[in-house]
Amino acid sequence: MALSEQELIRRENLQKIIDLGINPYPSSEYSITHSSAEILDNYTEEKKDQFAEISIAGRLMMKRIMGKASFAELQDSAGRMQIYVNRDEICSGEDKALYNTVFKKLLDIGDFIGVKGHTFTTQTGHTTLHVTELTVLSKSLKPLPIVKTDADGKVHDAVTDPEFRYRQRYADLVVNPGVKETFVKRSKMYTSMRSFLNEKGYIEVETPILQPIYGGAAARPFKTHHNTHDRDLYLRIANELYLKRLVVGGFDGVYEFSKDFRNEGMSRFHNPEFTQIELYVAYKDYEWMMNLVEEMIEKVAVDVTGSTVVKVGDNDINFKRPWKRYTMYGAIEEFTGVDISEMDEAQMRDAAKEMKVSLDPTMARGKIIDEIFGEKCEPHLIQPTFITDYPIEMSPLAKKHRTKEGLVERFEAICNGKEISNAFSELNDPIDQRERFQAQLELGKRGDDEAMVLDEDFLRALEYGMPPTAGVGIGMDRLAMIMTNSNSIQDVLFFPQMKPEGHTEEKLEA
RNA sequence: GACCGGUUAGCUCAGUUGUUAGAGCAACGCCCUUUUAAGGCGUGGGUCCUGGGUUCGAGCCCCAGACCGGUCACCA
């Protein structure tokens, strides 16, 4: 790629810095006493002494040069603050090159510098670092987009092109205010859940991502090959079956933040790799798990946003316990006025037709129920809501309902019209489990490429005996979308999957 | 996968009825010692996504393709 005019000038500036005997990429530690935020939040005229000899480091993001003195803005990981650079103070001797040449001409927006000095308040009332010593820490060769924020806080020329933002997240993070905050919140979600679960004594574990048999969900996998054993392996679509093996082994509470991979379509709710937390607790059931999920996510909301009420688009979503609960049939009756619980497949088809829900002729009873629910109920469930008691056909890993024929002990948590969580009383009857797998195999033979595969080793584990267990999976990306008011999964993933850029492809082939 | 929209300077965007490509910021030069979307004067910078076509002439019209987004379909 040909370099732009500005890139050429930056390379020339780099060489000129070297020619002046300054290392543009020094290796020694630069000692920082404060972050920009620590200064801005704590400085007052009375505490001047505490801020008399301090240092900060970061990117130069703006220069306002006024002859022999200048203002500039330095951005560090905590924010941005103004610095004041005076020629005769950073160049106390005769040689004024550091100011006249290096600072004024050779330093560009995006360069990392470190500055030492004292804090003061300008005539216009802005806390500013008065620089007495300036060190070049790293030269930037590529111009960053310029985004400005005015006195009213209005952002001008924000980089909005999603392609730029997702492909060059590093630049998006530097220039767009608020992007970093999204990811800090995402991180806090993890911290919040970890502390919640650790306090209860559950153990965080790691299980294989490369699996000989993919299981625990219905999805198409990514396939890869292990040369040493000369066999195909799959990237996990879920870690459910491995965590249950650990429950068999005697861990009564295990969880894992699991990066899972599904070789399927992409949308603003789907990325080929995504993250779930899965948790399994022995001697519990799905009723117990509902209470735990409520409690945990309410805490997450408070830890991440400071409130149980989270603004998402036009909605205020309230995670305060208790959440609304419907059975699946109950939800359908609530939103359509039709009780389908006693209907056979043919009656259900008619009912669906009446509701203008379009069905595939191959759909069986369970699938029809799911279709009606997905069409008529799910989009209306904005506030966090539990839906319980799913048809058995769609839940091959869940225990049969203790009283209701044809259903399983399963719940999903729905929020903002989307599933965020899925849980069961886990099926621990090895004979029933084998039959369910076999039913899935039949589906597979009929061409369902998402049907589950029979996992003999998992069945062997179940045959040793697994205690009654409640299990849950929570979609971390979708929860992050809600907690950060993001409209797309790409906004809560640092590096969402993208098709390759044309010119980088050529380089790979060369 | 289908439909719709987008792609012009480093960034944000104009570009009329087809005839020499525009602005702001950024960059470069000069001035300026408390400015803050700093300011003043001046200058340079373009594969108009790619490839074909129509035309005397295409950023603009036509065809094909690439990438991005949205909606739908698919999808636990």
Side-chain angles (χ1 to χ4, degrees):
Chain A
M1 289 283 274
L3 294 175
S4 70
E5 180 191 33
Q6 294 193 40
E7 287 173 304
L8 290 169
I9 288 166
R10 283 180 180 227
R11 279 166 162 76
E12 287 167 16
N13 289 349
L14 174 74
Q15 189 55 51
K16 287 175 187 167
I17 287 173
I18 293 168
D19 292 345
L20 284 167
I22 297 168
N23 181 354
Y25 301 105
S27 51
S28 56
E29 176 192 1
Y30 187 81
S31 157
I32 295 164
T33 64
H34 289 73
S35 72
S36 60
E38 285 166 349
I39 299 170
L40 295 177
D41 293 346
N42 299 312
Y43 177 78
T44 59
E45 290 290 307
E46 293 74 49
K47 291 196 235 164
K48 219 175 173 64
D49 290 350
Q50 295 169 39
F51 294 89
E53 201 168 318
I54 60 177
S55 59
I56 63 172
R59 277 187 200 270
L60 191 63
M61 291 304 281
M62 196 169 284
K63 285 202 285 186
R64 292 186 280 273
I65 292 173
M66 299 167 302
K68 298 179 187 66
S70 304
F71 288 94
E73 286 176 23
L74 206 62
Q75 176 170 304
D76 64 14
S77 70
R80 203 186 264 204
M81 81 172 286
Q82 179 168 264
I83 62 173
Y84 174 75
V85 184
N86 182 305
R87 185 193 69 183
D88 295 326
E89 297 194 47
I90 66 166
C91 308
S92 51
E94 284 303 301
D95 181 6
K96 306 297 184 191
L98 180 63
Y99 181 80
N100 284 338
T101 308
V102 178
F103 177 75
K104 277 173 71 175
K105 293 189 189 300
L106 302 182
L107 286 183
D108 294 303
I109 288 175
D111 289 353
F112 284 89
I113 60 172
V115 290
K116 288 190 176 122
H118 62 269
T119 309
F120 75 111
T121 306
T122 64
Q123 287 171 3
T124 49
H126 284 76
T127 303
T128 300
L129 186 75
H130 190 129
V131 176
T132 52
E133 202 180 311
L134 185 152
T135 309
V136 178
L137 297 178
S138 182
K139 189 85 190 78
S140 160
L141 294 183
K142 200 167 176 64
L144 286 163
I146 304 294
V147 179
K148 294 193 175 186
T149 308
D150 66 21
D152 300 329
K154 192 171 187 307
V155 178
H156 297 262
D157 297 336
V159 182
T160 51
D161 175 15
E163 182 164 10
F164 179 94
R165 294 191 48 223
Y166 300 149
R167 287 196 198 280
Q168 303 189 47
R169 181 70 83 187
Y170 33 86
D172 181 37
L173 283 162
V174 172
V175 303
N176 277 330
V179 177
K180 193 178 225 171
E181 194 189 344
T182 295
F183 291 97
V184 170
K185 282 183 174 171
R186 185 176 173 128
S187 175
K188 281 183 181 165
M189 278 173 43
Y190 286 71
T191 308
S192 175
M193 285 189 186
R194 276 204 174 91
S195 67
F196 178 88
L197 296 171
N198 290 349
E199 264 173 39
K200 294 193 181 302
Y202 307 148
I203 308 284
E204 183 171 8
V205 297
E206 293 181 283
T207 61
I209 292 172
L210 289 174
Q211 302 181 347
I213 297 171
Y214 56 96
R220 280 191 292 273
F222 285 91
K223 191 176 184 179
T224 186
H225 188 79
H226 183 212
N227 291 340
T228 298
H229 290 171
D230 188 24
R231 70 164 176 178
D232 291 334
L233 293 170
Y234 301 90
L235 272 61
R236 69 179 168 201
I237 58 173
N239 57 354
E240 170 152 355
L241 302 187
Y242 281 92
L243 291 181
K244 286 183 188 171
R245 284 169 168 97
L246 296 181
V247 176
V248 168
F251 284 97
D252 284 351
V254 282
Y255 71 94
E256 178 176 18
F257 289 99
S258 171
K259 189 69 93 75
D260 295 337
F261 305 84
R262 297 188 184 176
N263 206 341
E264 290 173 346
M266 294 168 63
S267 76
R268 71 189 184 91
F269 292 104
H270 299 86
N271 192 67
E273 59 180 287
F274 65 102
T275 307
Q276 297 191 85
I277 180 173
E278 291 200 34
L279 164 72
Y280 293 82
V281 184
Y283 312 112
K284 307 298 187 189
D285 65 6
Y286 79 134
E287 296 277 355
W288 178 91
M289 187 61 90
M290 256 187 280
N291 295 333
L292 180 114
V293 168
E294 264 180 352
E295 188 187 348
M296 179 162 74
I297 295 184
E298 181 186 326
K299 174 185 182 291
V300 168
V302 172
D303 288 348
V304 171
T305 72
S307 168
T308 56
V309 181
V310 179
K311 195 154 190 68
V312 183
D314 297 329
N315 300 314
D316 287 318
I317 295 182
N318 192 347
F319 288 99
K320 183 88 190 150
R321 287 174 287 166
W323 299 356
K324 191 129 195 157
R325 296 182 186 191
Y326 290 111
T327 63
M328 185 161 245
Y329 288 136
I332 290 171
E333 190 173 354
E334 173 80 22
F335 287 97
T336 68
V338 183
D339 178 7
I340 62 167
S341 61
E342 303 296 324
M343 292 182 180
D344 63 22
E345 190 178 320
Q347 291 170 315
M348 226 175 249
R349 276 185 180 280
D350 292 344
K353 200 171 181 183
E354 196 86 352
M355 298 170 200
K356 298 195 169 69
V357 174
S358 54
L359 299 179
D360 200 277
T362 62
M363 288 176 180
R365 195 169 179 280
K367 189 73 188 162
I368 294 170
I369 296 169
D370 187 53
E371 202 64 26
I372 294 172
F373 176 78
E375 196 77 22
K376 291 290 166 188
C377 306
E378 200 172 50
H380 304 296
L381 297 173
I382 302 303
Q383 297 302 322
T385 306
F386 288 118
I387 303 296
T388 62
D389 301 347
Y390 282 65
I392 191 167
E393 299 93 317
M394 310 163 53
S395 314
L397 301 169
K399 203 175 247 186
K400 282 174 184 154
H401 197 282
R402 59 195 78 179
T403 56
K404 296 175 186 167
E405 185 71 23
L407 301 181
V408 291
E409 296 202 351
R410 169 176 176 184
F411 73 81
E412 287 191 1
I414 315 285
C415 182
N416 206 32
K418 277 280 165 188
E419 176 201 339
I420 57 169
S421 172
N422 182 21
F424 325 128
S425 297
E426 299 297 335
L427 178 55
N428 62 346
D429 173 344
I431 293 169
D432 189 358
Q433 183 66 81
R434 183 175 291 277
E435 287 167 6
R436 304 274 197 101
F437 274 140
Q438 260 144 8
Q440 289 287 311
L441 285 181
E442 287 304 313
L443 289 178
K445 278 182 199 154
R446 275 193 273 149
D448 182 346
D449 52 4
E450 293 184 346
M452 288 186 193
V453 181
L454 190 145
D455 187 334
E456 273 299 345
D457 179 73
F458 173 68
L459 286 171
R460 176 168 65 187
L462 281 193
E463 284 165 8
Y464 282 114
M466 183 172 88
T469 298
V472 67
I474 298 171
M476 296 298 287
D477 310 284
R478 290 194 184 169
L479 190 59
M481 287 170 67
I482 291 166
M483 293 298 169
T484 62
N485 191 12
S486 298
N487 200 40
S488 167
I489 196 169
Q490 296 173 107
D491 291 325
V492 299
L493 298 169
F494 276 126
F495 304 104
Q497 198 58 234
M498 303 283 276
K499 286 192 186 179
E501 292 172 273
H503 65 90
T504 49
E505 272 295 87
E506 286 164 26
K507 277 181 194 164
L508 287 174
E509 284 165 17

